[in-house]
Amino acid sequence: MFQVSNLNREDAEAIADIHAMSLEEAWSADAIRATIDQDASICLGIQTGDVWSAFLILLPAVDDVELATIAVHPDARGQGMARFLMMEAMAHARQAGFQRMLLEVAADNDAAISLYQSLGFGVDGTRPGYYSRKHAARVDARLMSINLCV
């Protein structure tokens, strides 16, 4: 359906733009470049033509891997790119020998929570007031995980 590719440091500006369109506290291009440069990071994206449409970054933590961030360009939403990327990332992490995938998501992000639950992630807990909002009260983070061992 979609073609998933590894991100390169040259992609950091375009990825940072998608992140800024998607999250209030977006990563800078320098932060994305630094993450891509880490040997252990897993940085995947989907291109439409020659333009990046979606990406995610996984960071290893011993036997687990953490979804550090995921974003889809506003013009590409609703096409299943986030689901496809997550499924690819889970397969990649499983093949690399990771036991679990962890993530945190804003408790008010119903679309993301629904996606993660549909992929088999369960809620492990909450971090009260973890996310700040420019024009609203702080929002809890939902901690979620999935066992990658089958």
Side-chain angles (χ1 to χ4, degrees):
M1 183 172 178
F2 300 110
Q3 180 65 39
V4 175
S5 305
N6 290 313
L7 300 176
N8 296 308
R9 63 186 341 268
E10 296 80 24
D11 304 320
E13 294 290 337
I15 296 305
D17 288 345
I18 294 170
H19 214 235
M21 288 183 252
S22 302
L23 301 167
E24 285 187 29
E25 295 183 18
W27 295 12
S28 68
D30 286 339
I32 291 170
R33 227 177 262 108
T35 304
I36 290 171
D37 287 345
Q38 293 177 21
D39 288 337
S41 67
I42 301 167
C43 307
L44 305 173
I46 295 173
Q47 284 183 296
T48 306
D50 61 349
V51 177
W52 287 105
S53 298
F55 77 97
L56 63 71
I57 295 175
L58 301 176
L59 298 174
V62 189
D63 293 333
D64 298 334
V65 64
E66 179 184 0
L67 176 66
T69 191
I70 183 171
V72 177
H73 190 287
D75 294 341
R77 291 183 184 152
Q79 299 176 36
M81 287 185 191
R83 173 177 297 283
F84 192 83
L85 266 177
M86 286 296 297
M87 290 171 58
E88 287 289 312
M90 290 165 60
H92 190 96
R94 190 176 290 115
Q95 185 177 17
F98 292 105
Q99 303 290 313
R100 277 187 320 158
M101 184 180 287
L102 313 170
L103 63 84
E104 56 192 36
V105 58
D108 63 354
N109 190 341
D110 295 333
I113 292 168
S114 177
L115 168 64
Y116 301 140
Q117 288 177 329
S118 75
L119 291 169
F121 282 79
V123 176
D124 299 326
T126 301
R127 284 197 177 121
Y130 184 76
Y131 291 102
S132 62
R133 297 288 193 249
K134 289 181 183 175
H135 304 291
R138 296 184 70 83
V139 175
D140 295 348
R142 265 218 194 121
L143 307 175
M144 302 181 79
S145 68
I146 188 169
N147 184 348
L148 297 172
C149 300
V150 285

